[in-house]
Amino acid sequence: MAKLLHHKLDPACRLIRLMLGEYGVDIELVEISPWRRDPDFLELNPAASLPVMLDSPFPPVIGILATIAHIESNFGPEGPVESLLPDNPSQRAETWRLVEWALIKLENEVTGYLLEEKLVKRDLRSGAPDPAVLRIAKANLNEHLAYFSWLLATRHWLAGDNMTLADFALAAHFSTLDYMGDIDWDKAGEAKDWYARIKSRPAFRTILTDRVVGMPATKTYADLDF
Amino acid sequence: MAKLLHHKLDPACRLIRLMLGEYGVDIELVEISPWRRDPDFLELNPAASLPVMLDSPFPPVIGILATIAHIESNFGPEGPVESLLPDNPSQRAETWRLVEWALIKLENEVTGYLLEEKLVKRDLRSGAPDPAVLRIAKANLNEHLAYFSWLLATRHWLAGDNMTLADFALAAHFSTLDYMGDIDWDKAGEAKDWYARIKSRPAFRTILTDRVVGMPATKTYADLDF
């Protein structure tokens, strides 16, 4: 069985777990805290980023873009399961646009800051979260929520009529933010209904059982009716 | 002819121009300064990011990941030209690992800061570059240069024996950094020889004629022997 080096709250790793879950692929999870800069991990991936997929006889597959491409090539959908990357060129472009939004824009403006302040600083005992950073990240998050609510007011799934990798990319971030209690669902509009729908998929189950020691999840984290 | 909404010094846009140049595809360039937040541009791309490719009858193709996928599907290599995304799974994973390094890690730790301080602040008249930020970005750049020099000491091209999208992704960043005079080539080791090789490719020609008004290029920017 292939192994995924991951951290429970890393959104890119959650995206890969959701993708594999949807495709019905089992994977062994190995937990890594990349900010601790373990020499063995740095030798494997000098960028110190996650995910890393170990899938012998292939060499290690490093980073979110390589892992998405590896899974699409080697564990792609079979039988009745649809690919999460649509064949239709317009839908495919829309899917990548929104995957990029989650992986880069939401990560850089919101999730990256909150994980650094709440998780990494705690783990490294390098001080309390900076209230000014938390405030900016939460203000940014509200802008993102407003955009996705607007988008989802006219679409069943994020990139259109069908569920795609974009849904899982955004849901991975939402699930991490929700774990930390950073999403005010009363203000999330259509994005809340969408998240409730995707959260109830079988692929989401193991994500909802994740717990980080010393950092409890918000009360409704695992509730399908939140 | 398709149009590319771009900024001359945006590394992601340069990557697309290099990719299209290598594939022998002509494109009309339309200059955008996304930080000015022009309402028409924001309506097209609420993320305010570049590149955006307009290729009728397709809807607008937005963002670097969607544009790479669109080009591979619609303007892929013909005849003797090799794809910049190798078919071999190991080489493909290595290519994506290093594309991601340039697009995300180098962008977030180096190029993004330097463009913000030197280009965006100047254009918005929002103050002088912050010396502390410049210092950190340059220190980070030296770490990146050391890594790539180490990698290129045992490889002809970045991801292995063949030139790939990874080479153009990194060369796009190097070219922007070099325009601004931020690379100390005497300390760049093997990365200098590699950049000299890729800089002399025909696809690079238009990049080397780019000039931003009021922000001259470093003296050796366009020299193939620098």
Side-chain angles (χ1 to χ4, degrees):
Chain A
M1 192 190 299
K3 288 182 189 177
L4 187 72
L5 309 194
H6 86 127
H7 186 277
K8 282 176 184 165
L9 292 185
D10 181 293
C13 298
R14 289 185 160 212
L15 166 54
I16 294 303
R17 291 164 66 196
L18 290 167
M19 192 181 182
L20 290 170
E22 195 68 22
Y23 287 167
V25 180
D26 286 331
I27 191 142
E28 183 185 338
L29 297 174
V30 179
E31 185 128 358
I32 298 278
S33 299
W35 53 87
R36 291 189 198 164
R37 307 189 70 76
D38 172 72
D40 289 344
F41 178 63
L42 283 182
E43 194 174 348
L44 182 64
N45 180 12
S49 61
L50 290 172
V52 172
M53 190 166 168
L54 304 178
D55 184 23
S56 177
F58 298 105
V61 179
I62 292 166
I64 182 67
L65 299 181
T67 307
I68 290 172
H70 182 78
I71 293 170
E72 278 297 301
S73 295
N74 296 285
F75 301 93
E78 285 179 24
V81 180
E82 295 265 340
S83 171
L84 292 168
L85 284 165
D87 284 332
N88 173 288
S90 308
Q91 286 169 26
R92 198 177 178 93
E94 184 64 350
T95 299
W96 279 121
R97 174 178 85 86
L98 293 160
V99 168
E100 182 172 320
W101 189 306
L103 285 182
I104 299 182
K105 189 174 172 66
L106 186 56
E107 171 68 26
N108 285 354
E109 296 177 2
V110 180
T111 322
Y113 285 127
L114 293 172
L115 284 172
E116 176 71 25
E117 294 300 319
K118 295 186 175 190
L119 172 69
V120 177
K121 278 187 167 180
R122 192 186 169 284
D123 191 66
L124 294 176
R125 298 167 193 234
S126 60
D130 181 336
V133 175
L134 297 182
R135 200 163 48 237
I136 291 167
K138 299 266 278 232
N140 290 344
L141 174 56
N142 287 334
E143 298 291 322
H144 285 262
L145 283 174
Y147 176 67
F148 288 115
S149 293
W150 173 82
L151 198 68
L152 287 161
T154 56
R155 296 177 177 191
H156 191 62
W157 294 105
L158 208 55
D161 293 337
N162 301 308
M163 194 184 65
T164 67
L165 197 65
D167 293 286
F168 283 138
L170 184 63
H173 277 266
F174 273 25
S175 68
T176 291
L177 294 167
D178 188 38
Y179 185 99
M180 299 189 286
D182 286 316
I183 300 186
D184 182 351
W185 289 112
D186 290 341
K187 291 184 187 160
E190 309 284 344
K192 182 183 176 181
D193 297 337
W194 165 85
Y195 186 63
R197 238 184 307 131
I198 200 163
K199 192 178 179 180
S200 66
R201 291 190 80 83
F204 236 92
R205 275 180 210 147
T206 67
I207 301 275
L208 299 181
T209 64
D210 283 342
R211 293 295 179 278
V212 175
V213 176
M215 190 174 163
T218 190
K219 277 185 190 165
T220 56
Y221 172 67
D223 291 358
L224 298 182
D225 188 20
F226 52 103
Chain B
M1 192 190 301
K3 288 182 188 176
L4 187 72
L5 310 194
H6 85 128
H7 186 277
K8 281 175 185 165
L9 293 185
D10 181 293
C13 299
R14 289 184 161 213
L15 166 54
I16 294 302
R17 291 164 67 197
L18 290 167
M19 192 181 181
L20 289 170
E22 195 68 22
Y23 287 166
V25 180
D26 286 332
I27 190 140
E28 183 185 339
L29 296 174
V30 179
E31 185 129 357
I32 298 279
S33 299
W35 52 87
R36 291 187 197 165
R37 307 188 70 78
D38 174 70
D40 289 344
F41 178 63
L42 284 182
E43 193 174 348
L44 183 65
N45 180 13
S49 61
L50 290 172
V52 171
M53 188 165 170
L54 304 178
D55 184 23
S56 177
F58 299 104
V61 179
I62 293 167
I64 182 67
L65 298 181
T67 306
I68 290 171
H70 182 79
I71 293 169
E72 278 297 301
S73 295
N74 297 285
F75 301 93
E78 285 178 24
V81 180
E82 296 264 341
S83 171
L84 291 168
L85 284 164
D87 285 331
N88 173 289
S90 308
Q91 287 169 27
R92 199 177 177 93
E94 183 65 349
T95 299
W96 278 121
R97 174 178 84 86
L98 293 160
V99 168
E100 183 173 321
W101 189 307
L103 286 183
I104 299 182
K105 190 174 171 67
L106 186 56
E107 170 69 26
N108 285 354
E109 297 177 0
V110 180
T111 323
Y113 285 126
L114 293 171
L115 284 172
E116 176 70 25
E117 294 300 319
K118 296 186 175 189
L119 172 69
V120 178
K121 279 187 166 180
R122 191 185 171 285
D123 192 65
L124 293 177
R125 298 168 193 233
S126 59
D130 181 335
V133 175
L134 297 182
R135 200 162 49 237
I136 291 166
K138 299 267 277 236
N140 290 344
L141 175 56
N142 287 334
E143 298 291 322
H144 285 263
L145 283 174
Y147 176 67
F148 288 114
S149 292
W150 174 82
L151 199 67
L152 287 160
T154 56
R155 296 178 177 189
H156 191 61
W157 295 104
L158 208 55
D161 292 338
N162 301 309
M163 193 184 65
T164 67
L165 198 64
D167 292 287
F168 283 137
L170 185 63
H173 276 266
F174 273 25
S175 68
T176 291
L177 294 166
D178 188 40
Y179 185 99
M180 299 188 287
D182 286 314
I183 299 186
D184 182 350
W185 289 113
D186 289 341
K187 292 183 187 163
E190 309 284 345
K192 181 181 177 181
D193 298 336
W194 164 85
Y195 186 63
R197 238 182 308 130
I198 200 163
K199 192 177 179 182
S200 67
R201 291 191 80 83
F204 236 92
R205 273 180 211 148
T206 67
I207 302 273
L208 298 181
T209 65
D210 283 342
R211 292 297 180 277
V212 176
V213 176
M215 190 175 162
T218 191
K219 276 184 189 165
T220 56
Y221 171 68
D223 291 357
L224 297 183
D225 188 19
F226 53 102

